[in-house]
Structures are given as C-alpha cells and as structure tokens.
Amino acid sequence: MDTYSAKILGTDIAIYCFNTVIVGSGAAGLNAADQLYMHGQRDIALVTEGLHMGTSFNTGSDKQTYYKLTTAGAMADSPWDMAKDLYAGGSMDGDLALVEAALSARCFYRLVELGVPFPHNRYGEYVGYKTDHDPRQRATSAGPLTSRYMTERLLAQVQSKSIHIFDGYQIIGILTDSAHTRAIGLLALNLKGIENPKTRYVAFNCTNTIYATGGPAGIYAASVYPESQTGATGLALEAGVKGKNLTEWQYGIASLKFRWNLSGTYQQVLPRYISIDSAGNEHEFLNDYFQSPGQMLDAIFLKGYQWPFDPRKTANQGSSLIDLLIYQETALRGRRVFLDYARNPSLTSKHGQLDFALLSPESVEYLKQSGALYGTPIERLVSMNQPAVELYRNHGIDLAKEYIEVAVSAQHNNGGLAGNLWWESNLAHFFPVGEANGTHGIYRPGGSALNSGQVGSLRAAQFIAIRYRDEPLSVDSFVSQAQTQIQEKTDLGQQFIANITGKANVDEIRQNLGRRMTTAGAHIRSLTAVKAAATAAWRELESLPQTTRLGTVRDLPIAFANRDLLICQYMYLSAMADYIKRGGGSRGSYVIHDPEGLLPHPDLPDIFRFRPDHAHLSECIQEVSFAQGRCHFHWRKTRPLPDEEQWFETVWKAYRDSEMIQ
Ligand SMILES: Cc1cc2nc3c(=O)[nH]c(=O)nc-3n(C[C@H](O)[C@H](O)[C@H](O)COP(=O)(O)OP(=O)(O)OC[C@H]3O[C@@H](n4cnc5c(N)ncnc54)[C@H](O)[C@@H]3O)c2cc1C
C-alpha cells in the first residue's frame, strides 16, 4: 500500500493506492478479498462502512438456504441441468447461469472447509431439500443464520491473511478516467474522522474495484433487509455502470419492529390476521375475501412455503391474495396490519378452539405429524419451532402477548448492476459482485442469491489476478483525471454542511423516499404511479442540496446516502415505467395495474385489476444506463445456455495457455 496526501482545490485528501479495492464486507466482498489473496494478488484492501453492517451479517430466515449442485443421493444432476433451471427463471443470461451452476460445488465446499456448519450424513453426503423454483433437492442450510456463519468464517480468513481493512469508510463516489470508460478509484467519507475537514475525505487510487455493496435496500420503507443495509447502487449507475432487470425484486410478509420474514412455521401455525383503523377498531380483514373459513386457513398455511408474493397465486383464493389484502388495508385504507399469535382466527374457532376439520387434509396431516393439532397459534409455534419464539423474545417481543405489526416488504433484488462472464461491468475494471450484481431474472430458486455472491466474487478475483495485475495510476495522473469529480462531491458536501441548523431532516427525507417506493414501486405497480414517483424522485434529487438540513456534520453520511438512493430510486422507477410501456405484465413478485385487466377477486376495487403476463419479455433483458440526467433503455435477447463441444485435450491446452480467462 502506498499512501499520499494531496490538496485538491483546497480540500485535504489522503490517497491510498492499491491494485484492487473491494467495497463491502458481506459474504461476497469478503470472499472476493480472500480469493484475490489466494490467487496471488496481495496489493488489495477491503473498504466498508461497517464490518458488521449489511445483509449477510445481519439477516436470516426460518431456514436460510444455500443453493448448489446436488451432492447426495441417487438423483442425477449436472452443471448443465442446474444451469437450465436457473435460466428457466426467465430474463437470465444462459452463460451466467452455467457459470453459477458450474462453480456452485467449488464455492460450497470452500465454505464447508472454512467451517460453515452445513449438515452432512455419516457417509459425507450433503443432503439437500427442495426450495422454491427447484425441481431437485439442491438446497441446503446451516440454519437460520447461514449467511452470518459464512460472513464470520470468511472474515476470519481475511483477517488471518492481514488484508488491509478500512472499517468505517463510506464510498460516496466512483472515479473514472477522463473518457468515463474505466474506473480508476473511489472517494470515501472517513466516518471516524468526519468532524475534521482535514481527515473527512479519503480517495482510493486503484486499478480495479470489486463492488460488493449489496442490494439497494434503502429505497424502500417496508423492507426486511436489516436496517444497517442501505446499498450504494446509485453511485455506480451515476458513474455510467449499466443496470439490468431493475424491475425484478422479491417481496413478502415481514415483521416491522424486528425485521424478519414471517415464512415457514410462522404461517403454518395459523395466526390471526387483523388490521387496526385510526379509531382503534380491529378488523379480521381476511374474512370478507375467502369463500369459506377453511379456504382462508389453507391460504395462511400455504403462505409458509409460498412466502414471496407471486401474481400467479392471487386468483382462486391463493396464498398471495393475502399480500394484496394487506396492501388494501395499509396503502388504501390507512390501517396498520398485525399478526396475533395469542388467539385463533375467530371465524374458524368455537370457544377459542380452532376447528381443524375446516383445513385441507394436507394441512391437517402436517400439523398432526408436527404434534401441533391443538391450542392457539403460539402454543402450536412453541411445539413446532421453539427457536422461532425465542428469536422474537431475544428482540424484546413476546409473541404470546404482543401483536406483531407486518407489511409486504422488499427482500431481494434479482436485478442490479450488469456484468459480463467475469462479472466486469461496461465500466472497465469495475466488477459488481453479490447482490449488487443483477445476474438473476424474474424467478430464481431460493438460495441462489448466496451462491451467486460466492461465484461472482470468485470469478472477479480469477480475472483480476490473471489479466489486471497493473499497478494503479501514478498519483499525478490519478489526481489530474479525478480532481473535477472529487471537487463536485466535496462541493456538495460543503453545501450540505452550510445547512447545519441543529434540526436535521435527513431521516425524514429517507422515510419519505422509502414510502414513495413502497407505495408505487413494490408489489403493486401502475404506469401512472411509477411515472409520478420517478418524477418526484428526480425533483427531490435536484433540490436535495438546498432542502437538506443537518443537525451536525455527523449527519453528512446520511445526506450523501440519500443522494445515492434518489438516483437509484429514479432509475428503478424509470425502468418499471419503461417495462409497463412495453406491455410488460404481472410477473415475478409484482402486479401491473391495467383497467382492462383481470380482477383476482370480485370484491376487490378496480385498482387491483391487473395485466396478465404473456411472457413475451421473459426471453429479453432490459438494460438501462444514465447519461446527461436521462435514462437510456436497451432491450436485448437473453444470451442462451452455451452449447460448446467439450473435449478434454482442447480445454487443457487452452487452459495451459491461459486462454480461458478473457
Ligand atoms: C430476510 C432475508 C432473507 C434472505 N434469505 C436468503 C436465503 O435463504 N438464501 C439466499 O440465497 N439469499 C437470501 N437472502 C439474500 C442474501 O442474504 C443477500 O443477497 C446476500 O447476503 C447479500 O450479500 P452481499 O455480500 O452481496 O451484500 P451484503 O451482505 O448486504 O453486504 C454489503 C456490504 O457493503 C457495505 N456497503 C454498502 N454501501 C457501502 C458504501 N457506500 N460504502 C462502504 N460500504 C458499503 C455494507 O455495509 C455491507 O458491508 C435473504 C435476504 C434477506 C433480507
């Protein structure tokens, strides 16, 4: 590492020079650092706003899943078969699907070697189970905290190799060469030195950037991402990196006070759904929309393993009708929605006891097998999954006494920044990996996000270690190319700081922008609403330097993050508008309103009329780039699954000549 200090148009900046800087300390970023080191590139640093921030370290679910090639039993599997299943999700490139499949076993066994406790049987087989959109049994899990274990084990590797870690540095700009075609470095706020103008800003002069900043969670108010995850996708889009499939997300029911997916047993124990209006009246709002109490119970039960909202499951009393009804209660009726585990749904019980005869035979059998054919929802949950109760207790919530406020929340971005076969973006030397990179399309098997993060970070490391070994630019050349970009950001910082009034509004700005996205750009979308929201986001972005008020200089990081989120939100909403204008229908995890469309339930208002999907865009990918304040869209066909003849000697020769990595 070489360090310099420079004065850029009056601002003191420390400049650190490396071959590669990795941004983000989630499972993807840590793996990138570890892999680069193992592939021989040691001139590297990992930069993070917080070592214990982000999704991987702070999230989990009932049984957090890792998707990989089948490694047990007699069921045949191959990279090609797995790639076909990934590709079948729609709007996914076939070559990326094959890479994710081919490297899944290697990445998985690396985690096993590091000590992530994935369970195996006495013969050493890593027995799997079936997850959503998975025709085999490729899924495995180390329990509710799989991604936490991955992060901890990978961090231990990074620390044991003494890789430089800049902890407490928030990236606020991606620096490019004068032609804006290549990344040359990064600008960061030094969060620990923010009060002193001499230590506030830091620049990284690096040949390569691996960008592992996770999903842009902060654009949504209703979110099951951990609160510490904001994302930094907007900065990359601003620098000219292309976005891909920005329309594609996953949403589902989650608790708000403590952010957690209410999937699996939390639904299978059949809680009571209620909404509360402004006068404090309770409504068991599902009652009016299910033909019979039994059908309502079955839909709640199914929500357990049909957790993500899916338009195909809204009609015919399907489980996703519940997500629509929650939207109706919250967004349209201004009520708050809760789950009550202390009582059974009233229509389905006599003297407080649930009438199990109302349930389908499969649901009854499941509860019977689980020893839970009795009592109240909380009693069933204690019997079926005591740790699920403890989890909430550890966060100060007693499910036996407290109503749990819920919302249909953003959980994962299938789309994101675009990369090639080595995860390099159109901005040369800039590699988005992990959730920041949108390799997935419309549907994806549960658990494939964690696999994709490991595979993508390995690929970027392999490529950099062989092809991009150059020293960073000379400091003079770096400064001359980056100084205008740095100055724009430091000037903006000065504008924010000039508005220190003692009473900050940065959190209010964050909440407002989040609410806008949750209302217009989540699981219920319409052309009018997304267009209006995109316009509002753009206006707010333009006036942000004037409208932002800081309490102290310590609010500066939030002000910069709000700017990133507004750019991001504007582009995501514009992508949604473009998709709808092209005739795109309801798919993945959202519905598109259409006055001529179908109503999934006759008693719902017309706002729920939605356009069916004719799948005419599922073999296409929408790409978007940002230039001169405008979004430019480009639609292309997905790249097919590679169908090349494989002959060992030919591959071996090409491998020996390093022809594989290019
Ligand atoms: C509730 C929930 C359940 C999930 N369950 C599953 C599952 O079962 N299976 C599965 O495959 N996936 C699951 N996912 C998705 C998966 O957990 C994530 O996609 C994955 O953990 C993301 O890892 P990552 O390394 O890309 O990003 P993250 O882990 O989010 O890390 C991002 C890092 O970048 C840092 N960062 C961000 N911006 C900046 C900046 N400006 N400057 C410096 N640092 C920055 C963050 O602080 C953090 O360290 C789930 C997600 C959620 C929310």
Side-chain angles (χ1 to χ4, degrees):
M1 171 181 78
D2 290 326
T3 313
Y4 302 83
S5 53
K7 224 176 181 61
I8 296 183
L9 301 159
T11 307
D12 290 287
I13 309 244
I15 302 176
Y16 298 99
C17 306
F18 293 96
N19 168 270
T20 301
V21 168
I22 300 114
V23 187
S25 53
L30 290 164
N31 190 51
D34 190 36
Q35 292 288 353
L36 262 176
Y37 188 97
M38 289 194 303
H39 281 79
Q41 181 50 264
R42 308 276 156 96
D43 186 24
I44 61 176
L46 186 135
V47 177
T48 177
E49 56 189 345
L51 260 187
H52 295 138
M53 291 170 72
T55 309
S56 313
F57 189 81
N58 294 292
T59 205
S61 63
D62 213 29
K63 194 162 70 179
Q64 202 186 11
T65 302
Y66 192 97
Y67 194 66
K68 46 126 196 66
L69 205 65
T70 310
T71 51
M75 193 183 275
D77 202 0
S78 70
W80 175 264
D81 282 321
M82 181 171 159
K84 253 189 349 199
D85 294 331
L86 291 171
Y87 184 64
S91 298
M92 180 170 194
D93 282 315
D95 51 358
L96 298 181
L98 185 57
V99 175
E100 292 195 352
L103 289 174
S104 70
R106 173 173 172 175
C107 289
F108 170 72
Y109 282 117
R110 166 88 183 132
L111 293 168
V112 169
E113 289 303 314
L114 294 185
V116 179
F118 288 112
H120 60 81
N121 66 16
R122 57 201 286 253
Y123 307 103
E125 292 174 295
Y126 287 85
V127 176
Y129 58 91
K130 214 169 147 82
T131 175
D132 42 335
H133 309 300
D134 170 25
R136 317 248 166 171
Q137 295 187 333
R138 297 195 181 106
T140 182
S141 172
L145 299 177
T146 303
S147 62
R148 159 81 69 108
Y149 298 144
M150 288 166 59
T151 315
E152 286 171 348
R153 302 316 305 155
L154 288 163
L155 177 59
Q157 285 304 306
V158 168
Q159 287 170 332
S160 73
K161 293 174 175 123
S162 301
I163 294 171
H164 292 283
I165 297 179
F166 288 82
D167 187 10
Y169 290 77
Q170 179 184 323
I171 300 301
I172 55 167
I174 291 154
L175 307 172
T176 65
D177 64 353
S178 324
H180 303 296
T181 54
R182 174 186 168 161
I184 58 167
L186 300 149
L187 181 68
L189 278 177
N190 171 5
L191 303 178
K192 290 169 195 150
I194 199 154
E195 303 197 45
N196 180 350
K198 288 186 185 304
T199 55
R200 187 172 296 147
Y201 296 103
V202 166
F204 294 92
N205 166 25
C206 47
T207 310
N208 309 296
T209 300
I210 298 186
Y211 206 60
T213 50
I219 59 174
Y220 285 102
S223 161
V224 66
Y225 285 89
E227 269 154 28
S228 69
Q229 174 60 11
T230 310
T233 301
L235 298 178
L237 295 167
E238 179 189 34
V241 178
K242 278 187 192 164
K244 173 184 180 189
N245 284 331
L246 298 188
T247 47
E248 305 309 310
W249 287 79
Q250 265 189 10
Y251 310 96
I253 299 172
S255 54
L256 297 182
K257 189 167 155 191
F258 157 53
R259 292 181 174 193
W260 200 253
N261 286 358
L262 288 165
S263 58
T265 34
Y266 290 110
Q267 300 291 345
Q268 286 160 338
V269 299
L270 307 169
R272 189 171 75 106
Y273 277 74
I274 55 163
S275 66
I276 301 187
D277 62 27
S278 53
N281 301 314
E282 277 188 17
H283 308 263
E284 287 194 49
F285 62 95
L286 299 186
N287 288 350
D288 302 333
Y289 291 89
F290 284 91
Q291 274 157 14
S292 69
Q295 278 170 306
M296 178 182 83
L297 287 181
D298 283 335
I300 299 174
F301 184 86
L302 279 176
K303 237 305 94 280
Y305 45 92
Q306 297 179 349
W307 181 80
F309 173 71
D310 183 341
R312 298 169 304 185
K313 298 185 181 111
T314 52
N316 305 318
Q317 312 273 293
S319 59
S320 285
L321 176 60
I322 298 175
D323 305 75
L324 295 184
L325 296 175
I326 293 177
Y327 183 85
Q328 172 164 259
E329 293 305 292
T330 51
L332 305 185
R333 293 181 172 160
R335 299 173 178 172
R336 295 166 67 191
V337 172
F338 300 85
L339 297 195
D340 173 14
Y341 285 88
R343 270 157 292 228
N344 286 309
S346 59
L347 271 189
T348 62
S349 42
K350 289 184 203 136
H351 312 299
Q353 291 306 305
L354 194 82
D355 181 359
F356 291 100
L358 296 170
L359 278 164
S360 71
E362 299 88 73
S363 313
V364 172
E365 186 55 27
Y366 187 92
L367 290 171
K368 195 169 159 197
Q369 292 283 350
S370 310
L373 210 54
Y374 71 100
T376 58
I378 184 65
E379 285 165 344
R380 293 190 282 277
L381 193 57
V382 167
S383 151
M384 282 167 72
N385 190 349
Q386 174 70 28
V389 181
E390 294 301 327
L391 183 77
Y392 274 84
R393 190 163 294 140
N394 294 339
H395 288 84
I397 299 167
D398 184 350
L399 293 179
K401 297 204 176 112
E402 209 176 303
Y403 286 174
I404 309 302
E405 185 163 14
V406 302
V408 181
S409 302
Q411 188 237 12
H412 184 263
N413 190 191
N414 284 6
L417 301 170
N420 66 13
L421 203 57
W422 299 95
W423 271 246
E424 184 178 16
S425 71
N426 57 301
L427 185 66
H429 294 261
F430 186 86
F431 296 76
V433 303
E435 194 176 328
N437 186 311
T439 57
H440 304 290
I442 307 164
Y443 301 96
R444 63 171 179 87
S448 54
L450 289 174
N451 176 59
S452 172
Q454 297 303 285
V455 171
S457 47
L458 166 61
R459 291 288 279 188
Q462 284 179 314
F463 191 87
I464 288 170
I466 298 283
R467 297 277 167 219
Y468 283 169
R469 292 197 297 227
D470 301 350
E471 299 271 308
L473 296 172
S474 71
V475 170
D476 284 349
S477 171
F478 173 72
V479 170
S480 92
Q481 296 194 65
Q483 66 178 353
T484 310
Q485 300 165 60
I486 294 177
Q487 195 199 353
E488 275 169 18
K489 294 280 159 131
T490 54
D491 282 355
L492 178 64
Q494 274 316 111
Q495 281 182 276
F496 285 141
I497 289 169
N499 280 344
I500 294 184
T501 60
K503 193 168 179 319
N505 67 353
V506 282
D507 290 334
E508 195 184 314
I509 292 174
R510 175 72 55 86
Q511 281 156 15
N512 286 342
L513 75 88
R515 271 197 291 271
R516 172 165 57 230
M517 194 72 186
T518 290
T519 310
H523 67 305
I524 315 280
R525 303 177 188 173
S526 72
L527 184 56
T528 321
V530 295
K531 271 170 69 182
T535 306
W538 182 254
R539 283 208 192 108
E540 208 172 314
L541 175 65
E542 285 191 312
S543 60
L544 197 69
Q546 293 78 44
T547 53
T548 295
R549 290 192 306 276
L550 309 188
T552 72
V553 70
R554 298 228 130 258
D555 292 326
L556 189 59
I558 312 177
F560 271 110
N562 284 347
R563 182 173 177 281
D564 161 81
L565 290 172
L566 284 168
I567 297 171
C568 187
Q569 187 175 84
Y570 169 70
M571 292 203 54
Y572 273 69
L573 285 163
S574 302
M576 289 172 191
D578 178 66
Y579 170 77
I580 301 171
K581 278 192 249 167
R582 285 205 159 233
S586 308
R587 66 181 194 182
S589 202
Y590 54 87
V591 292
I592 303 292
H593 172 67
D594 183 340
E596 310 293 316
L598 305 170
L599 206 51
H601 190 288
D603 298 339
L604 280 172
D606 278 342
I607 186 176
F608 289 106
R609 278 194 186 281
F610 70 78
R611 188 190 289 177
D613 183 31
H614 299 299
H616 68 292
L617 293 176
S618 64
E619 286 177 9
C620 298
I621 287 178
Q622 180 206 50
E623 288 184 337
V624 54
S625 53
F626 184 67
Q628 283 91 42
R630 283 196 52 221
C631 291
H632 302 270
F633 294 100
H634 168 64
W635 286 81
R636 64 167 172 86
K637 284 267 178 211
T638 55
R639 294 191 293 269
L641 284 164
D643 191 14
E644 293 165 21
E645 205 174 316
Q646 305 292 345
W647 187 257
F648 180 78
E649 280 69 18
T650 327
V651 171
W652 190 16
K653 177 168 186 328
Y655 178 80
R656 287 197 310 268
D657 298 343
S658 287
E659 281 170 19
M660 286 305 160
I661 299 190
Q662 54 189 310

